[in-house]
Amino acid sequence: MEKVLITGGDGLVGRHLTDKLQANGYEVAVLSRSEKMNKEISYFIWDVEHQTIDDSALENVNYIIHLAGAGVADKNWTAQRKREIISSRVDSAKLIYDQLPENHKVKAIVSASGAGYYGAVTSDRIFTEQDDSANDFLGDVCMQWETAIDTYKEKNIRTVKLRTGLVLSSFGGGLERMAKPFKMGFGAAIGSGKQYLPWIHIDDLCEMYLFALQNDTVKGAYNAVAPNHITNREFSEALAKCLAKKIRLPNVPGFILNLYLGEMAVLLLKGSRVSSQKIQDQGFKFHYTEIEKALENSLKK
Ligand SMILES: NC(=O)c1ccc[n+]([C@@H]2O[C@H](COP(=O)([O-])OP(=O)(O)OC[C@H]3O[C@@H](n4cnc5c(N)ncnc54)[C@H](OP(=O)(O)O)[C@@H]3O)[C@@H](O)[C@H]2O)c1
């Protein structure tokens, strides 16, 4: 049985992915900051800040999936929070790299990255994996995160980076927060409503991690976003429809979000189109291509 070590494996994506990997015959181990109870998973403790890791965490590992990271949308972006967002992704990747023994058995590392790689901009341009990282906070986070992953090539490990859009899931995450005002009847589009919202259903994302593990030709960066591009207005309308609600209010003005969220408001106010052609050309097939179907599935409990 091949063994997959998932960093941050107890989060939204990690839990779903663990089930998928186990169903496909993999043994799963999780690196976490705290002890957890689950008989079918071995948990190992690490402390990224102090650069310590359980001695046996890397034993017999065949694949690493790097999901760990302080939530980008969980707290306002103070200077300290920004450092934490970067360090929890970059220093964590370095910690594992430094601890890998000479005779390691790791064949590939597949890491999360973000569609924010291309920056907080609203335009009709369709970004592809060939584009450079943006010169803003999220662009910089993703660039540093991916650079840390690319160092693994020096240890003959195949590297894959999945630049992920908003993950739609029935188990929480951004969708749960976005759906709340709609459920209460005062949902509305945000800002101009014209900003694009790259998204992916959690089943497709976890299928893509599995696809990346199992296909040796999958290498480098891939956009993990559904093929259909939607604006914030279209997303809001689909969300309202799915919850059998009507949008009665005007768009939430951008300045209110700027006041309340500061720099982090760009997560809601900006967004471009991002292409999923590269992973599709590699043979990956999306199950959820339409937002309505993805929302319908994600909002059912
Ligand atoms: N969900 C999305 O919409 C989305 C979109 C784009 C990119 N991504 C990226 O995909 C990855 C997985 O997303 P997710 O939604 O599953 O995230 P999540 O639910 O927030 O889980 C991330 C995990 O990272 C660990 N973590 C948190 N803060 C940490 C810190 N300071 N140091 C080390 N570990 C820390 C936590 O595990 P422990 O508490 O067990 O240590 C947590 O469960 C993340 O890197 C995220 O940025 C997600």
Side-chain angles (χ1 to χ4, degrees), residues 19-31:
D19 290 346
K20 183 167 284 292
L21 290 170
Q22 286 177 331
N24 279 274
Y26 292 91
E27 179 189 347
V28 175
V30 165
L31 259 180

Side-chain angles (χ1 to χ4, degrees), residues 4 6 9 11-24 26 65 67 110 162 164-165 167-169 171 200-215 224-225 279 284-288:
V4 184
I6 312 184
L12 179 74
V13 176
R15 285 181 185 203
H16 201 88
L17 184 56
T18 296
D19 290 346
K20 183 167 284 292
L21 290 170
Q22 286 177 331
N24 279 274
Y26 292 91
I65 293 188
L67 301 176
V110 186
L162 299 182
T164 311
V167 178
L168 301 183
S169 158
F171 299 103
I200 184 164
H201 189 281
I202 195 159
D203 285 351
D204 280 335
L205 180 61
C206 293
E207 200 61 52
M208 206 181 281
Y209 275 98
L210 185 63
F211 183 80
L213 285 197
Q214 293 180 333
N215 289 283
V225 297
I279 192 80
F284 182 79
K285 297 214 177 344
F286 285 89
H287 182 70
Y288 292 94

Side-chain angles (χ1 to χ4, degrees), residues 11-13 32-33 36 67-70 84 88-89 112 145 164-165 167:
L12 179 74
V13 176
S32 171
R33 292 165 301 167
K36 309 253 165 39
L67 301 176
E84 195 182 345
S88 55
R89 290 169 170 78
W145 195 359
T164 311
V167 178

